[in-house]
Amino acid sequence: MLYLGCPQWSSTHWKGRFFSSHCQNAQMLSEYAQIFNSVEGNTSFYADPKPSSIQKWRSDVPDDFKFTFKVPKRFSHELALQNCQQELRSWLTLFEPMFDKIGQIMLQLPKACGPEYQHNIENFCQWLPSELPLGIEIRHLGFFDKADNERRFNQFLMAHQYNRIMMDTRPLFSELPSTPAIIDAQSKKPKVPLHVIATGNAPVLRYVGCSDLQANRQFYAPWLKKINLWLDEGKTPYVFFHTADNYDAPLLAKQFVADLNRAEVQLGLFPALQQPQQTSFL
């Protein structure tokens, strides 16, 4: 199984282009789930949802849809993964009603979290339930040294079947900072080396594309081969498509799937294309 999605399910820019023109905010997840089978749950990174929201999210998606919620930044950034066991337990209790809809939880670590904090990472991960697959994204260059630090980190991931999240920002940084959206994205997205490795059974790729959809092909061509290989090996990859402003992220995903050329991997039709088209008399 290949899970595909975007970093969000709600965007007013998608109304009339991908979502139906009459789509309300409360309907966006439902229409999104007609296209994709997964999503980055970034909302949990910044704030805890209400229990009623979790119940609605669960009911808005089909049985085979998987969320990938992020661990709150108050644990990963503000508390440095320490002294938060009780609060983490409360967070997990909040999300427990939809554990079966969670493909994996994503632990995104700040740039300041280097190899000297691996002990903190290991201790924190012990508090997470084993039934929830875990992906970890690191941004400190010490974890990309191709030496002892990276080897020790990868061995920890493989020993526990945790997935090392790979972020491919090469396409984004190949562009000139020519628009406010590109400038903003380049200031926020990490510019880290791309080390391709599957440390668990569900490798995660966060692909940040460039504005020219066609130009992305040269960057993701090796990913097509790698993902096909992982699927043939029985792995369950997750691929999330970003662009600077995410305006065309669904189109980037559609192009990628077409180029992957694997019969069992398809996106759903955009709801915008299924609504009756207005006609006029000339």
Side-chain angles (χ1 to χ4, degrees):
M1 173 68 85
L2 175 60
Y3 286 98
L4 302 164
C6 295
Q8 61 196 84
W9 67 67
S10 176
S11 175
T12 55
H13 299 299
W14 294 352
K15 290 179 63 172
R17 300 181 68 231
F18 312 121
F19 297 159
S20 61
S21 57
H22 54 76
C23 182
Q24 302 299 311
N25 289 349
Q27 301 169 319
M28 286 186 176
L29 176 56
S30 177
E31 293 208 4
Y32 173 94
Q34 295 177 39
I35 307 170
F36 299 102
N37 60 359
S38 189
V39 69
E40 284 188 20
N42 286 318
T43 180
S44 61
F45 187 66
Y46 300 101
D48 290 347
K50 297 178 181 179
S52 58
S53 295
I54 289 179
Q55 293 293 346
K56 185 178 187 306
W57 296 343
R58 197 183 194 291
S59 64
D60 279 351
V61 299
D63 291 342
D64 61 351
F65 189 94
K66 296 294 184 182
F67 292 89
T68 60
F69 288 111
K70 284 187 180 179
V71 172
K73 67 179 297 186
R74 65 180 182 274
F75 303 145
S76 56
H77 290 56
E78 297 164 13
L79 295 174
L81 305 178
Q82 300 179 91
N83 304 315
C84 56
Q85 188 172 5
Q86 183 58 48
E87 193 174 355
L88 175 63
R89 189 178 294 116
S90 297
W91 183 78
L92 291 167
T93 300
L94 174 66
F95 278 88
E96 191 170 10
M98 66 182 313
F99 271 10
D100 63 322
K101 304 298 296 180
I102 296 178
Q104 58 186 295
I105 53 176
M106 302 171 71
L107 176 60
Q108 179 180 300
L109 298 172
K111 186 177 180 180
C113 182
E116 66 272 23
Y117 293 103
Q118 181 163 330
H119 183 68
N120 294 37
I121 300 171
E122 293 181 7
N123 281 344
F124 181 85
C125 291
Q126 290 178 358
W127 302 338
L128 298 170
S130 58
E131 66 264 32
L132 285 182
L134 174 65
I136 303 179
E137 180 184 309
I138 36 79
R139 298 187 173 191
H140 190 286
L141 293 181
F143 287 116
F144 295 87
D145 63 359
K146 294 187 176 181
D148 289 345
N149 288 326
E150 184 170 16
R151 191 177 305 113
R152 184 166 54 250
F153 181 66
N154 286 342
Q155 287 173 346
F156 158 68
L157 297 177
M158 288 186 283
H160 296 276
Q161 280 292 295
Y162 297 150
N163 303 292
R164 179 167 177 167
I165 297 175
M166 295 156 284
M167 194 157 194
D168 189 351
T169 57
R170 297 171 303 151
L172 171 66
F173 287 103
S174 72
E175 297 192 283
L176 294 174
S178 56
T179 69
I182 295 174
I183 293 171
D184 182 65
Q186 289 180 346
S187 71
K188 294 177 179 177
K189 300 296 184 186
K191 192 175 184 180
V192 295
L194 178 62
H195 291 183
V196 180
I197 183 172
T199 58
N201 193 54
V204 182
L205 165 62
R206 303 178 70 205
Y207 180 90
V208 189
C210 50
S211 303
D212 183 345
L213 291 179
Q214 296 292 328
N216 283 284
R217 285 193 160 103
Q218 63 178 311
F219 292 103
Y220 68 55
W223 283 116
L224 299 175
K225 296 179 181 178
K226 178 60 69 174
I227 288 169
N228 270 311
L229 174 63
W230 283 337
L231 289 170
D232 290 341
E233 292 175 343
K235 290 182 169 57
T236 305
Y238 285 74
V239 184
F240 298 107
F241 298 92
H242 303 232
T243 58
D245 53 9
N246 292 320
Y247 185 80
D248 283 335
L251 288 181
L252 176 58
K254 183 177 181 180
Q255 177 180 288
F256 183 93
V257 169
D259 291 346
L260 186 65
N261 193 28
R262 197 172 178 108
E264 73 273 24
V265 178
Q266 300 291 333
L267 294 184
L269 292 176
F270 295 149
L273 300 179
Q274 300 179 60
Q275 63 185 8
Q277 300 299 306
Q278 190 174 24
T279 58
S280 61
F281 293 102
L282 299 179

